[in-house]
Amino acid sequence: MKKNASKTAQDARAFSGRTRDRKTKSIVKLGDKLSRIVITVGGIGTIVAVLGVCVFLLSVALPLFFDAEVESETSFAVQTAIVVPVRVKLDEQIQLAWALDQDGFLETWRLDNGASLGRRRVAAAGKVSAVMADPASPDIAFGFDDGRLQVGKIEIETKYLAEEEIPEELSGIEPGGIQPYDGGIASLTPLGQFRLDRVKISIDDPFNSGGSAPIHRLDYVVTIQGPRLCSLGEDGALRYLSIERRRNLLTGKYRIRSEEFDLGALDTAGGLPDFMLLSTLGDQLYLAWKNGKLLRINVLDPEQSFHAEELTLVDDDESLTHLDYLLGRTTLIVGSSSGRTSAWFGVKPKSASTKDGIVTRRAHELAGGGSAMTASGVSTRSRLLLSGYADGGISVQDVTAEAEVLRLEVAVKSSQSTAIEALAISPREDAVLAITNGKIALWRVDLKHPTARLGTLFGRVWYEGSEEPSHTWQTTGGSDDFEPKLGFLPMVFGTLKATFYSLLFGVPIALLAAIYTSEFMSPKAKGRVKPAIEFMASLPSVVLGFLAALVFAPFIENVIPVVIASFFLMPLAFVLGAYLWQLMPQERALRFRSWRLATMGLCLPAGLLLAWLMGPLVERLFFESDIRSWLDGQVGSAIGGWLLLVLPLTAGVAITISGRLSHPWIRKLSADWSRRRFATFELLRFAALCALVFAVAVGIAWMISAMGFDARGSFLGTYIQRNAFVVGFAMGFAIIPIIYTIAEDALAAVPTHLRAASLGAGATEWQTATRIIIPTAASGLFSAVMIGLGRAVGETMIVLMAAGNTAIMDANIFNGFRTLAATIAVEIPEAVRDGTHYRTLYLAALVLFSLTFVINALAETIRQRFRKRAFQL
C-alpha cells in the first residue's frame, strides 16, 4: 500500500510539478460560510420584503371594509317649542345647528348643551303657506297665502377674528372652549385663532308670483342661467318663474325681477299634489301625490312645456310618505308607508317612448325601516342618505352601494311620539342630528368608507344617469354633486389587455430569435447579435412611451391599411425568401452561408415595401376605401374584419394539417429528386397553400358576415389614436430583450450530447431544434415568457403615455384602456391621505400584487411539469 501511495504521489508531481495539497484552506472555508450566510440572509430577506409589501398594502386597504361606529350619543330637549321643522342643518365643527319651521321661523342651538342661541322670523310679514329649503345647498324659498314669493339663503358662516376684533368677553376662552357670541359660537382653536361660527341669513324682498291664491307647493333652484322657481297655487295654477336679481348700488340690497310662464292649471279633482320638486337644471318638474302617482313635466322651454311622463312610485298597498332629492337634485328619494326606500332618476334609453326621450327608473332599492319613512337628510359631499321612520329608527345608507352603513334609534318615553321630524348630517359626515317630539339627538359617528364595498368595487353598479348597471372607474368630477365610481374591473381588464397584445407581438419574435441565435447562427454572428438585443433592455420605458405616443401613434393613424398589410406580408416575404434560398445550387449555398442572415434580412424591407404598395388596394377591396369610416361602422360589410381575424387562424390550421398529412407523402415522392427540383416543388406548393388559405379565409369571413355577425363592436371598432395596438407594439419591444435573453440561455444550456446524438442519427438542424432542444428547454422558455408577462403586467410609463388612459372594458384593439399600474401612478399624488380614494388605490395595488402572484404561482406549477418531462428525455 505504501508503495502504491508513493507511486501516486510521484505521478502527481510528474504531472503538475508539485504535490497536491488535499487540505482545504481556512480562508476557503470562511468564504464558504460567509457565502452560505449571505445567501440565506438574502433569500429570507427577499421573502420578508415581499411579505412586508403585502402586509403594508393590506394594512392600508383593509380599513375600507371596516364597519361604521358610533363614538358618542347625546340628546337634549328643545327649550323653545318649534313647529314642525322643514329642514335642520349642522355646522362643520358640530358646535351649532339651526332649524327652519313651516311658519318661517329659524332657531339656532348650541350642540354641547342644547341651549338656544336665538329664534327669529326670517320670512317676510304674512302667513307662510309653503316653505322650501334645499337639503344640500343654502337656498330657501317661502310662499305666502296672498300669492307672494320670497327667496334667499341660510348658511353657516365661519369667520376668523383678527386680534383687534376680539371683544373683551371672549378673552377668557380657553383653547378648545366655546362661548356664545353675537348669535353664534366663538371658539379658540389649538393654533390660537379666534373663530366665530354663526348663521348668516340673506333674504330678498318678497315679489308677486302672478296670482293671488295661496301658494300650496313651491321649489327653488339656482342654475347656471340663474334662479328658477316653480309655484303651485291652491287654485291649481302652476307657474314657472325665471328670476333675475339686481343689486342696488346705493342700498346694497337686491331687487327681484321675474319672468313668469304659465304652465297651465292642474286638475284638482284628485287633490293637489303633496310633493313638488324641480331638477338641478330647472328643466324637469316633478309633482307627486300620496297615492304614489308621479307626474313629470318638461320645462326645458317653459313656453312650450308638456307632460312628459306619468308613473307610480309605490305599490298598490302603500302610500307615498316622503319625496326628496339626493345631492345634485337629480336622484329622487322615495319613501313609502311600509318603510321601503328607493332611488329614482331619469335615463335616456334608445327605446324610450316618452316625448323627450327621458324615462324615470327605479335604480336602487334600499333597506327600509319597519314603519313609514317620515324624514330624510343628505350629505353635501357624497351619496349618503339619512332616512328617518315613524318608529324613531334612523338608517344611514349609501345610495350608490345600496348598503346600510349605520342604524340609529332615538330613545323617547313610551307615551310620546317617536316619529323622526327632521334629519341632518354634518358637512364632514362625522355627526348625525335628529329632531323628534321636541327633542334633539346627536350622534358622533365614524362612518369609515361607506362607498367602498365589494359590490361597488368588483360588481356592476347603477350610477346616476346610466341606462343600466355597469363597471366604471371615475374618481373625479366637475361639480360637488359628483358620484364617485370605483369599479376595479375596467383597470383589471385594461391590464390584461395590455399584457395580451404585448405578448402577442413580443413573444413570437423573442422566442424565434432565441431559437435562431442558439441553433442556426454562427458563433461569430451570435457574439454580436445577442449583446445588441440585450442592449435594448437598457432603453427606458419612458422613452418607449414617448416614442409610442408622439411618433408611432400619429404615424400609424395615417397608414392603418399599410400597417395591417405589413403584419401579413412581412412574414410572408420572409418565408418566401427562405424558399428562394433553397433554389440556389448547394455549392453556392454553402459558400454564401455566412451571408444568409443578411440576405434574408432584406426580405423584411421587401415585405414592408410590398405592404406599402398594397395597403391602398387592401383598403379599397375590403374596407370601402376608408378604413376609419369602416371601423366606425358607417360603411362596408363585415367581411374585411372577419378576414383579419380568420386569416392567421386559417394559416395556422393549414400549416399544421400540411405538416402532418403531406410531409410523409412528399418525402417518399421526392426521395430521388434533385435539390433544385425539390426546391421548385416546395415553392409551388407554398404558393398554392397561400392561395388556398386566403380563399378559405375569405369564404369563412363571408359566411360569418352572411350570418349577421360583425367583428366591429368587439375586437374591432372605432379607431382611437392611442390604443392597444400601439401599446402592444411599444411594450413588445420592452419585453423582447428579457424574453430573448432568458430563452437563449435556456436553449444554450441544453447538453451538447443531446444535440450531437440527434444530428448523428441523421436529423436535420431544424428537426433537432424542434424535437430535442425545444422540449428539453421548455421549462426555461416558459420561464422567459412568464418573466416577460410580469414585466408587461407591471409596466406603467408606456401605457400611461400611449394607452389613452380611458377606463373602459372594450376588446377593440384600436381603442384605449387603463391599467392598474397607470391608475396608481396618475391618481395617488392627488388622493387625500387615508381617504376612500387613497385606500382604494392601495387596494388596486394589492389587486395587482395578487394578480401577479397568482400568475407566477400557476407559471411555476407549469414550469415544474416541463422540467419533469425534460428529465424523461
Side-chain angles (χ1 to χ4, degrees), residues 826-835 837-839 841:
V826 169
E827 300 187 9
I828 197 67
E830 304 297 331
V832 178
R833 184 176 178 83
D834 295 334
H837 184 203
Y838 178 84
R839 295 188 185 277
L841 291 175

Side-chain angles (χ1 to χ4, degrees), residues 411-548:
V412 295
K413 295 180 180 180
S414 58
S415 60
Q416 295 177 335
S417 172
T418 59
I420 303 297
E421 298 174 357
L423 285 170
I425 186 169
S426 64
R428 294 180 180 177
E429 298 181 348
D430 55 354
V432 173
L433 184 144
I435 297 180
T436 175
N437 196 26
K439 178 181 179 181
I440 291 182
L442 177 68
W443 294 268
R444 300 276 185 145
V445 298
D446 182 2
L447 299 181
K448 306 298 184 183
H449 308 277
T451 305
R453 306 277 168 162
L454 289 177
T456 58
L457 294 172
F458 299 99
R460 293 181 180 272
V461 179
W462 201 338
Y463 297 106
E464 189 176 78
S466 301
E467 294 184 22
E468 58 185 11
S470 63
H471 297 287
T472 308
W473 173 272
Q474 187 182 2
T475 55
T476 57
S479 64
D480 293 337
D481 54 1
F482 170 72
E483 181 178 19
K485 304 171 179 64
L486 303 177
F488 271 164
L489 287 191
M491 276 100 67
V492 174
F493 180 86
T495 301
L496 298 178
K497 183 178 181 180
T499 303
F500 173 76
Y501 284 117
S502 60
L503 293 179
L504 186 65
F505 176 80
V507 168
I509 295 177
L511 293 183
L512 291 175
I515 293 171
Y516 183 82
T517 303
S518 175
E519 304 303 317
F520 301 99
M521 188 176 287
S522 64
K524 183 178 180 181
K526 177 181 176 180
R528 297 176 180 177
V529 171
K530 186 176 181 181
I533 296 178
E534 292 174 343
F535 183 75
M536 290 171 54
S538 64
L539 191 63
S541 60
V542 66
V543 175
L544 289 174
F546 174 82
L547 294 175

